[in-house]
Amino acid sequence: MNQARIDHIGIAVQSIEQSLEFYRDAIGLEPKALVIVPGEKVRVAMLPAGEPRIELLEATSDDSPIARFLAKRGEGLHHIAMRVPDLNAAVDRLKAAGSRLVTEQIQTGAEGYRYVFVHPKSAHGVLLELIEES
Ligand code: ZN
C-alpha cells in the first residue's frame, strides 16, 4: 500500500556551474532541467542518475534555506526525496505519529508536483522530502 521509493538526492552547492564541472564533466551526469523555485529561493539542476536523480541546489537569495544551510555546514548532502503514492495519506500518518513537518501545508513545486519536507528531528537526522507520485 505504501511503495515509497527514492526520487532524488539533494546536494547544496555554492554554484551549480562549478559543481557541474564535477558532476557533469567528471562524473558524466547530464543536467535535464535547470529551474528556479521562487518559493524556496533556490536554483535547481536535476541530473538523471539511473532512476533516482541528483538535485543540485543553489541559493538565489541570502535568506534562502540553502544559503542558511551553506553558511552553517558548507556544501553537502541536503535532503533525500522519496516518492509516495498518496501524499495526503502520508502527511496524515506523519501528523498522527507526531512527526514534525517543515511547513504545515503541502507545497506545490515549480513543475506542479506536490511535496512536503519532514524535519530531520523526526526523520532521524535527515531532511526528508516526500513527493506525490504522478
Ligand atoms: Zn528536492
Side-chain angles (χ1 to χ4, degrees):
M1 95 191 186
N2 183 26
Q3 283 296 330
R5 55 196 177 82
I6 292 179
D7 181 86
H8 65 266
I9 293 167
I11 299 173
V13 300
Q14 300 284 359
S15 156
I16 285 177
E17 269 65 40
Q18 267 178 34
S19 63
L20 284 178
E21 289 173 15
F22 177 78
Y23 282 103
R24 182 190 54 212
D25 304 343
I27 300 295
L29 299 177
E30 203 54 51
K32 264 271 148 58
L34 198 62
V35 295
I36 288 180
V37 186
E40 306 280 351
K41 297 180 180 167
V42 292
R43 201 165 147 248
V44 170
M46 274 293 186
L47 282 51
E51 200 190 338
R53 300 167 291 172
I54 299 280
E55 179 184 53
L56 301 174
L57 299 150
E58 176 192 284
T60 56
S61 130
D62 285 347
D63 61 346
S64 159
I66 292 298
R68 289 197 296 270
F69 179 92
L70 289 167
K72 221 165 123 186
R73 303 199 215 173
E75 294 185 316
L77 182 60
H78 180 259
H79 67 276
I80 294 176
M82 304 286 300
R83 204 165 271 270
V84 297
D86 182 344
L87 188 56
N88 290 329
V91 165
D92 287 348
R93 280 196 304 275
L94 287 164
K95 285 185 173 169
S99 293
R100 195 163 136 201
L101 301 180
V102 174
T103 52
E104 277 303 302
Q105 304 294 323
I106 290 174
Q107 311 286 307
T108 301
E111 292 152 319
Y113 63 85
R114 299 166 73 237
Y115 68 95
V116 293
F117 278 100
V118 183
H119 197 279
K121 283 233 162 25
S122 294
H124 301 263
V126 174
L127 177 61
L128 186 66
E129 179 180 10
L130 294 180
I131 298 179
E132 185 148 80
E133 198 86 58
S134 57

